[in-house]
Amino acid sequence: GAELLGAYLISLGSESLLEGEPERAIALNEEAAELYRKRGRRGGLHQALDNLGWATLLRGDYERAETLHKQSLRVSQDLGDKLVASDSVEGLACTAGAQGEAERSAILFGAAEGLREAEGYQQAPRDRSLREPYLEAAYAQVGEAAWSAAWEKGRSMKFDDAVIYALEDPND
């Protein structure tokens, strides 16, 4: 019961995100996260946290989005879920770019791509639509040569190295 309900709420929340309704996405994914927490289930929780990260990113709350994506990434790593991990890494690429850390953003975008490639996963065009504005803005800050070098650095990272880099505080 609860597992199915949580998955359903996450699915509805994802659709709301893609339809440009971050408030609805937040409500649905908070409900799902609460359901998983009450049952002590981490499987599913990481997806709800990831969606919450994207929704708060769309609202412009970059610090909160970063916190949520890092929480999702930690749980994803523990569960060995590299697909949700790649999504969280990409969310962190967006928050880095939005906060003026364009080179870090490029490395994280590259790392997310590398993780997806390693899993044989292709991102759907509509999923990319959330990321594109952040990617383009960060790219414009550094130019092609610097972007390509940083992106390739991220793309060549192994899973654990990508996670460690993504979880670092760049201000330390």
Side-chain angles (χ1 to χ4, degrees), residues 2-106:
E3 293 295 310
L4 275 175
L5 178 58
Y8 179 68
L9 291 168
I10 288 169
S11 181
L12 284 177
S14 292
E15 277 304 308
S16 297
L17 256 179
L18 294 169
E19 290 167 9
E21 299 175 25
E23 302 306 322
R24 184 164 186 262
I26 287 170
L28 290 163
N29 282 288
E30 280 179 344
E31 189 177 343
E34 187 58 30
L35 202 64
Y36 287 119
R37 283 190 184 108
K38 277 184 181 166
R39 302 221 166 8
R41 299 299 303 257
R42 299 177 64 172
L45 176 61
H46 63 314
Q47 291 173 297
L49 292 169
D50 183 57
N51 280 347
L52 284 167
W54 284 103
T56 54
L57 174 74
L58 294 180
R59 284 175 50 192
D61 187 349
Y62 305 129
E63 283 184 28
R64 178 89 181 116
E66 185 177 337
T67 298
L68 288 160
H69 281 301
K70 284 183 176 183
Q71 289 172 352
S72 173
L73 183 53
R74 285 185 192 99
V75 178
S76 297
Q77 183 183 31
D78 290 347
L79 295 172
D81 188 332
K82 294 179 182 175
L83 293 182
V84 175
S86 73
D87 212 49
S88 297
V89 168
E90 203 157 54
L92 290 166
C94 292
T95 60
Q99 296 176 98
E101 301 162 14
E103 186 180 344
R104 179 175 174 77
S105 177

Side-chain angles (χ1 to χ4, degrees), residues 20 42 78 117 124 128 152:
R42 299 177 64 172
D78 290 347
E117 285 174 0
R128 285 198 300 266
E152 197 51 51

